Amino acid sequence: MSNTLYVWTFTPRALVTVGLVKFLKLDVEIVEDRESDERYIKNFPLNKVPAFIGKNGFKLTETIAIAYYCMSVSYTHLRAHETLSDLVCRLLLEK
């Protein structure tokens, strides 16, 4: 299983969450046709979107909660892929 984000296309909530996932280059599958997705139907019976489900079954259904989660994951993700020049720039900026 992978991280999955379920959205309605072209809604403000979708634009925020999808844009953030793409900007942060997170490993998240974006699904727009959720009605035919068995995993969505099973995990989100109230049919709320956006909806996020993580690899381990972790679920979120609110835009702000999903955005906060993506930002917290991306910080760790970005640090793991930091180059030496990125590290130097970050340390200089943090002073």
Side-chain angles (χ1 to χ4, degrees):
M1 281 198 282
S2 65
N3 295 317
T4 308
L5 176 63
Y6 299 95
V7 295
W8 277 336
T9 309
F10 305 117
T11 62
R13 292 177 180 165
L15 294 174
V16 169
T17 53
V18 171
L20 190 59
V21 164
K22 288 182 178 180
F23 177 77
L24 297 172
K25 299 176 184 159
L26 297 176
D27 181 27
V28 175
E29 177 187 359
I30 298 168
V31 177
E32 295 174 353
D33 181 26
R34 67 194 187 294
E35 286 88 9
S36 62
D37 191 304
E38 293 294 325
R39 188 172 176 212
Y40 175 81
I41 294 166
K42 177 184 171 196
N43 287 292
F44 302 102
L46 297 177
N47 200 28
K48 290 181 77 176
V49 289
F52 175 85
I53 187 162
K55 291 178 185 176
N56 61 354
F58 178 71
K59 296 181 264 188
L60 293 169
T61 57
E62 298 295 329
T63 302
I64 294 173
I66 294 169
Y68 185 81
Y69 178 75
C70 289
M71 291 299 295
S72 65
V73 169
S74 72
Y75 184 75
T76 305
H77 174 77
L78 291 172
R79 286 278 176 99
H81 295 88
E82 198 170 48
T83 65
L84 181 57
S85 60
D86 293 334
L87 175 63
V88 171
C89 289
R90 182 175 56 79
L91 291 174
L92 288 172
L93 290 172
E94 287 180 356
K95 283 190 168 194

